Each structure stands twice: as C-alpha cells, then as structure tokens.
Amino acid sequence: MDGRPWSNDRSGVDRFRRMEKELRVSEGNNDKISRSVIKLPRVICFFLVLFISLSCSNEQETEFEEVKIAFIADAHFQDIYADFEDANYKGIKNPETGDFVNIRTMNAQLKSTRIFNENYFAFIEALEDIVARGIKYVALPGDFSDDGQPVHVKGLRKILNQYSKKYGLLFFATTGNHDPVKPFEQDAGKTDFLGVGGKEQIITSRREKVNNIPEGELTPVITEKIKKWGYKDILNEMSAFGFYPQKEYLYWETPFSKYTYNEYTFGKAEKAAVLGNRTYAIDDYNKHPDASYLVEPTAGIWLLAIDANVYLPKEKMISSSESGDDFESASIGYNNVILQKRHLIDWVKKVAEKANKMNKVLIAFSHYPMVDFNDGAATEMKHFFGEKKMQLHRVPNVEVAETFADAGIQIHFGGHMHINDTGVYESAKGNTLFNIQTPSLAAYAPGYKVLSIRSKTRFEVETVVIEKAKDFNSLFSLYEEEYAYLLENETPDIWNKDILTAENYRDFTQWHLKELVRLRFIPDDWSREFLTEFVNKTGKELILEYSGHLDEETNNIVADDFQGWTGFDMIYDFYRLRSADELAKVDIGNHRLQQYKIVCNQLKTSHNKAIGNWAVIFEKAMNGEPSEYFVIDIIEGSIKEL
C-alpha cells in the first residue's frame, strides 16, 4: 500500500466499445431489407423506405443523446507519491500518514497561478466523479502535467491506465505549453520542493547545482526524472491517449496523413503516426513536431485535438538546433498559430468540410482559447492595467476567432487561462464559434466540463465543481513545519496560515486565490497610485469620494452595508469573477453583487478616468455569457442558460 487512492487491487472489466461488429450487422440487415423491397409494389416501397429513413434518424438522435464527453484542462498533475530511485531519495515523511511525499512548498504554490500538490487529490476526485456519471470519453486539453517531467508524466499515465482498465474510460490528450515546455528534452529542476525541517529542497537534473551549496541549505537531489521532456518522450509515454492510433478507434488521422476515410486501416494510421512524419518548418533550418490529430472514438463523433504550440526561435538561426534555449515558450497560443502553422488551419478547414459532408459531429479542443476571455473588457483592461499586465498578451486576436469560425469550427474547448468562461464570436460571413474555457483543477474554482451531445445541432454543457477532495488536507502538517521555519527566520511576506483551516477543496482554492492576489497579483499588476487611493476605502467612501453623493437606489439599501467591505475586497472579488465567472457568484453572494452593481454605476460617473475604467471592467466581469450550465444551438447560433 503506497497511499495512492487508486492503488487498491480491485477487479474490473474493459468496457471499450467495439463498433465494427455492430456496423457489419447493420450493413447486413440493410442488404436484406433492400432485396425484400424490390418485390413490393412501388407505393408500398415508398412508404417503407420513408419509414426506415425516419427510424434510422430517430436511432441516430437516440445515440447522440447518450454521448457525453468530459473535459479536464490544466490538471498540472504532479505525482506527489513518486520517489527518485536514481538519486536514492524518497522525499519527506508525512507524520500524519507515514507516507513519503515529494511536494512543493506552500510558499511556492501561493505565488503561482496553480496549486502544485493538492490538485493530485482533486484529479482523482474528478475521475471518480466521471466514472459515477457513466461518462466514457475524457479529453485533456493540455497542461496535463507539471512541466512534462518524466516522474510526473509516468505517474499520470499509470493513473489513466488504471481508470481505462477498470472502467473502460478512453482518454484523449493534446499538448499544452507545459507539456512540452520546449520541443526537445532539456535539463531542469525546481528549487522549491519542501525538505526536512520546513526548508526548501532543490531537486534538479543539473549536476552543476551540487557545487557551491550555500551554508544552511539542504544538499540538492540530482535526478534524471526531473528533466523536462520534449515531444518525443511525452507522446511515447502518452501514446494510448489519442496521440497515436488505437485499434479501438473507428478512424484516426493527422494533418499530414494521406489516406481518406474509406481507405482507412489501422496499419496505415500507424505509419502516418510516426513522429518524423508529423513535422512542419519553423524556419529554413528547423522542423518541429505537430501532435494534432482527428479521432472517431464512437460512430458519428469526431474529436479534433489541435496542437497549438508554437516555439519561435529567439533570434534568426543559421542552422538546425535541438536546444530548448534557442526557442521561446509556447504560451502565446493561436496568435502564433496564425503566423506559423498555416498548414494546421488548412487541415482544420478540410476536416470540418468532411465532417459536414459525412454527417459527423465535430468537437474541437486544444490548450489555448480561440476567443477573447475577458467578457469584452480587453480594451478597458489594456488602458487600466497596461498591455503587458493581466496576461493580456495571451488574449487571441480577432483574426484567430474569425479564421477558425470560417474554417468550420463551431464548438471548441480550451484551457490555459485557468478560468471558467464562455466566448461567442460571429464572423463577418455569419459563422458562429463557441469557445468554452474549461477551469483548472489546480485553481479556483476547481472543476471540469461535461459536454452532452443531444443531437447534431444541440449541445448541453455543464460545469462540475470539485467541492470536496478526499485527503486534500493530508499534507497540512508538513506546511505547519514550513510556516514555523519561515517565522523563525523572519521571512518577509509570509503566507497566511489560516489557509490550513480550509474545510474543503473549493475553500482551499479560494484561499489560494486570495493569497495569490495579495502576494503576487496586486504587487505585479496594479498601479501604486490607484491602490493608495482605493484599496483601504469602504464602499461608502468610494461612492462619496468619486461620485460625490449617494443616489436614491443606494440610500434604499442600508448605508452600513457599504461600510462592511473595502476596495481590497472588491479587487479580490474581481479575481473570483475573472477566474470562476458564474461559479463565483454563490461565494460572493447576491447581496454583495448588488452593492457592486450600484458602486459601479456610481463610479462610472467619476471624472477620474482610471476609476471609471475600473467600474466598466468590473461590471463586464459580472455580466458574461452563460458559463455554468447552458445549451448551445448551432443552427440558431444561440446560447441559453439552463
């Protein structure tokens, strides 16, 4: 027993669907019907054919009603129970459970946009929930690992294999900017693992780290298992999860494969899947892999997994290179796809045309958003924060949405931003693209999406929040040791120990966000001048200072209500809305949201442009498209809350 919730030896059956036999039976039955019809009078023949057509149509609709696909984006899985055998290092012992664990410090994860450790338990909880719902298809839109390290990718594969074998789940992954971080393997490591006595522990593959260890620091752990893998090793390890064809699939292709749907065989797909056959030119000297693929896991449903990673050279190159240091990261997404991966756009267009012609339902997913995710406030945010703040450089240009809408993508699931959001874009040609941002399990509000295909034109999307996760607090005693060490050494800006009072996983992620706002977002993204004037004032003071009066609507609400919160609370709630959208409203409360609405109306009248901009940004954050539970009708081009 190693402490893993999934490691119990329970018997299970492989529930993979094999459609070939059913198709052969169906074709045989149709042949018998056709021979019988020839003998009947023409009038009877006409009505019989009509009846058969209607029956087949009804059967097809029934089949679509049963198809559900779960989307887990940005799991950022870190195998906290793995050890580093090549370094003879098991980690630190958890006094609560007796297990050895390799975890990052609380200080590190409260300054990161993602949780490093507790998301392990949330991931298991999400898989258990998916099994309980009877869902068989699970898409992973990138950043499924911490940073593509062997130790974590291998640990993830073991868990996915467990759920595949026990419950018949089929997983379909695509790449993210963390897997791989660069196209090729590179030495790497982390300085912020938690070591004995609450100290930081360096774990790295860089042997030069052994030299010149500062006095009082723990000896670095040197291991090959913490390298950052490139495409080749990650795709090989995750080969069973969409990146390579499987015999269970009805169809599989890449942007570079040459066969048609009718010519498809598993043998042809295997040859096309060789990574050397799946590359594109990044410049005159270098080619990078493109891991995109199309798969038909069950009759009539096409999943389009788009690899939108682009690793631009840092400077003009005069030769080929397999050094990660020569290339930028891929975090920009589709803005660079438009520039560097035109072959991908051409392929997407062909796939969409084929899907329409062959009556297939096409669902696209990738790591990056295709549509602006700021509820229409990107312009105001650039003016208020600056173009390089608030991750605004990651907002896809309008050209991205226009291009993919006209290429035929109607429904796309993305990740990357760790937010719950829905974006709708209609192109100049009248084509509508629905971009569904899947929240991360490693951030507030932790959850995943479930797509229910009701028909070829009607789709329901539900957001499942992971409220509780078994054992999420099992590491807290180790954080107590870390906190005591930081306190003893008078470390500045120590994290708030109250996070260790969190009663459930959702509450824990709220604490994570609140500390992230305090320790990183406010210092990095906000004007000091604005903060000085805003952050400590009550709601009532803000109204009186920037609009000069309380209007009748405000007076109808108890004035004291506006004195119960400050500008900091409003900033924190803005981040809650930005991260979780509709999911945050239950945590903020309708009463407070009503007060914010009134405050925004008042502040928009201010002569202070910054205050007016802020009010518009906040107001738009409260009024986005439906994002929790909604239905999409692609014929009407409509989205409605359920």
Side-chain angles (χ1 to χ4, degrees):
M1 179 71 91
D2 60 2
R4 294 175 172 83
W6 48 267
S7 62
N8 294 333
D9 186 18
R10 302 194 302 266
S11 62
V13 295
D14 186 357
R15 300 182 182 176
F16 293 138
R17 292 187 176 181
R18 301 185 183 274
M19 303 299 296
E20 295 178 7
K21 183 176 179 181
E22 295 178 15
L23 289 171
R24 288 197 297 270
V25 171
S26 176
E27 290 169 0
N29 289 340
N30 286 339
D31 289 341
K32 292 177 184 178
I33 291 171
S34 297
R35 288 195 295 271
S36 300
V37 166
I38 293 173
K39 300 177 183 179
L40 297 174
R42 290 185 178 181
V43 175
I44 298 176
C45 178
F46 171 78
F47 284 108
L48 184 57
V49 171
L50 180 62
F51 173 76
I52 291 171
S53 299
L54 292 173
S55 297
C56 290
S57 176
N58 289 337
E59 288 173 7
Q60 194 173 47
E61 292 290 286
T62 301
E63 181 184 4
F64 283 148
E65 288 179 5
E66 297 175 350
V67 176
K68 293 189 175 185
I69 305 168
F71 292 83
I72 300 178
D74 299 280
H76 287 288
F77 179 85
Q78 178 172 297
D79 191 353
I80 63 175
Y81 291 111
D83 56 23
F84 299 98
E85 301 99 332
D86 58 340
N88 195 29
Y89 182 73
K90 295 190 295 184
I92 55 175
K93 190 172 184 178
N94 186 343
E96 292 293 318
T97 64
D99 297 321
F100 283 87
V101 293
N102 275 297
I103 62 173
R104 310 277 281 281
T105 64
M106 177 66 81
N107 187 58
Q109 64 181 3
L110 291 184
K111 293 179 180 177
S112 170
T113 54
R114 68 185 194 268
I115 292 166
F116 297 131
N117 306 322
E118 285 69 25
N119 52 312
Y120 176 97
F121 305 107
F123 185 66
I124 300 297
E125 197 71 33
L127 293 180
E128 288 293 322
D129 189 70
I130 287 167
V131 170
R133 291 169 179 264
I135 299 170
K136 294 300 178 186
Y137 308 108
V138 184
L140 305 173
D143 281 7
F144 42 78
S145 71
D146 177 52
D147 269 331
Q149 305 99 323
V151 64
H152 302 318
V153 179
K154 286 176 179 288
L156 174 64
R157 177 187 56 79
K158 290 178 183 178
I159 290 179
L160 299 186
N161 280 341
Q162 283 275 355
Y163 279 84
S164 293
K165 291 176 181 178
K166 290 183 178 181
Y167 305 111
L169 298 189
L170 284 177
F171 294 95
F172 302 96
T174 191
T175 54
N177 60 302
H178 284 272
D179 32 48
V181 172
K182 297 291 177 70
F184 313 106
E185 179 184 278
Q186 56 182 327
D187 277 316
K190 304 289 184 183
T191 62
D192 54 17
F193 277 89
L194 186 56
V196 294
K199 295 182 178 181
E200 287 189 339
Q201 171 69 64
I202 296 174
I203 300 181
T204 181
S205 65
R206 300 179 188 273
R207 296 195 172 275
E208 64 270 19
K209 288 288 185 180
V210 176
N211 303 320
N212 302 319
I213 305 169
E215 185 178 353
E217 284 195 10
L218 300 173
T219 303
V221 174
I222 310 299
T223 170
E224 294 291 300
K225 296 173 71 175
I226 204 68
K227 282 184 174 182
K228 293 177 181 177
W229 266 350
Y231 270 97
K232 182 183 73 172
D233 291 314
I234 289 177
L235 265 60
N236 283 342
E237 193 70 24
M238 299 285 287
S239 61
F241 312 123
F243 287 124
Y244 289 91
Q246 306 298 311
K247 290 181 179 179
E248 299 94 325
Y249 303 163
L250 300 183
Y251 183 70
W252 188 92
E253 73 170 48
T254 77
F256 312 98
S257 53
K258 304 299 183 184
Y259 48 78
T260 66
Y261 188 85
N262 291 330
E263 296 170 344
Y264 177 78
T265 66
F266 177 66
K268 290 179 180 178
E270 279 191 308
K271 292 179 181 178
V274 174
L275 199 57
N277 296 330
R278 302 163 69 181
T279 62
Y280 70 102
I282 196 73
D283 60 17
D284 292 338
Y285 303 98
N286 294 275
K287 290 186 175 182
H288 288 172
D290 182 340
S292 303
Y293 62 90
L294 171 70
V295 62
E296 185 172 10
T298 188
I301 307 296
W302 279 10
L303 291 179
L304 181 62
I306 301 174
D307 174 7
N309 283 351
V310 177
Y311 307 89
L312 296 174
K314 290 183 178 179
E315 57 186 36
K316 188 173 182 179
M317 303 184 70
I318 58 174
S319 63
S320 62
S321 172
E322 291 192 1
S323 170
D325 293 336
D326 290 332
F327 300 95
E328 302 285 357
S329 70
S331 64
I332 299 300
Y334 281 103
N335 289 341
N336 284 340
V337 169
I338 295 292
L339 300 175
Q340 294 287 141
K341 281 190 168 182
R342 300 302 304 186
H343 74 277
L344 195 55
I345 298 168
D346 294 338
W347 175 64
V348 167
K349 187 178 296 185
K350 290 177 183 177
V351 167
E353 289 172 353
K354 285 193 298 183
N356 185 53
K357 183 178 179 180
M358 299 175 65
N359 210 25
K360 306 290 186 181
V361 171
L362 180 64
I363 304 297
F365 69 100
S366 70
H367 185 56
Y368 305 95
M370 287 184 174
V371 176
D372 183 2
F373 45 81
N374 289 304
D375 297 317
T379 300
E380 290 87 357
M381 291 176 71
K382 287 178 181 178
H383 289 308
F384 184 79
F385 293 104
E387 293 190 1
K388 296 183 179 180
K389 302 289 187 178
M390 296 292 289
Q391 303 191 73
L392 290 170
H393 65 291
R394 292 181 168 183
V395 175
N397 298 329
V398 172
E399 184 185 0
V400 171
E402 186 83 6
T403 298
F404 283 97
D406 288 344
I409 299 299
Q410 295 173 306
I411 294 181
H412 171 260
F413 285 81
H416 191 41
M417 301 310 302
H418 301 186
I419 63 174
N420 176 55
D421 185 68
T422 307
V424 182
Y425 181 84
E426 183 176 346
S427 74
K429 295 180 180 178
N431 299 309
T432 303
L433 167 61
F434 296 92
N435 182 80
I436 300 156
Q437 284 301 114
T438 307
S440 170
L441 291 174
Y444 173 78
Y448 69 95
K449 299 281 187 180
V450 175
L451 171 68
S452 297
I453 304 176
R454 297 300 183 190
S455 73
K456 289 177 290 185
T457 62
R458 183 180 172 86
F459 306 86
E460 289 183 9
V461 180
E462 179 185 0
T463 311
V464 181
V465 178
I466 303 302
E467 301 280 353
K468 300 177 181 179
K470 183 182 178 183
D471 297 327
F472 87 95
N473 57 357
S474 61
L475 306 173
F476 283 12
S477 59
L478 293 170
Y479 299 138
E480 295 270 7
E481 293 181 19
E482 175 193 346
Y483 186 85
Y485 174 79
L486 295 174
L487 203 62
E488 181 183 350
N489 286 270
E490 299 181 347
T491 305
D493 297 326
I494 300 178
W495 46 271
N496 189 338
K497 192 178 178 183
D498 288 345
I499 190 174
L500 303 182
T501 65
E503 295 183 356
N504 55 59
Y505 186 65
R506 179 175 182 150
D507 189 32
F508 181 79
T509 63
Q510 287 197 81
W511 268 108
H512 170 260
L513 178 60
K514 191 169 188 177
E515 284 295 270
L516 185 60
V517 169
R518 181 177 71 90
L519 297 171
R520 174 177 163 178
F521 288 160
I522 284 182
D524 288 356
D525 290 336
W526 292 73
S527 154
R528 288 187 179 181
E529 181 182 355
F530 179 86
L531 291 173
T532 300
E533 296 178 359
F534 184 86
V535 73
N536 291 318
K537 288 186 171 67
T538 66
K540 184 177 180 180
E541 289 171 337
L542 290 172
I543 292 175
L544 291 174
E545 180 164 347
Y546 293 109
S547 68
H549 67 283
L550 296 175
D551 63 17
E552 185 177 349
E553 183 182 13
T554 309
N555 276 322
N556 288 336
I557 298 179
V558 180
D560 289 345
D561 287 353
F562 288 84
Q563 298 195 142
W565 54 270
T566 65
F568 174 83
D569 295 315
M570 191 176 186
I571 290 173
Y572 169 50
D573 285 338
F574 165 69
Y575 280 101
R576 286 207 279 191
L577 288 165
R578 177 173 164 79
S579 298
D581 204 69
E582 289 184 327
L583 302 175
K585 292 182 178 181
V586 67
D587 296 317
I588 298 171
N590 289 331
H591 193 60
R592 177 67 62 82
L593 288 167
Q594 182 64 23
Q595 293 174 47
Y596 287 150
K597 179 182 176 181
I598 293 169
V599 169
C600 287
N601 285 335
Q602 295 282 82
L603 297 187
K604 283 190 297 183
T605 65
S606 172
H607 296 296
N608 184 315
K609 289 184 178 180
I611 286 293
N613 248 343
W614 162 245
V616 171
I617 292 167
F618 195 96
E619 188 175 63
K620 287 187 175 182
M622 291 192 290
N623 295 287
E625 297 283 359
S627 63
E628 182 175 2
Y629 187 27
F630 53 93
V631 61
I632 293 171
D633 188 314
I634 60 174
I635 297 297
E636 296 179 355
S638 65
I639 178 171
K640 297 177 182 176
E641 191 171 2
L642 291 174

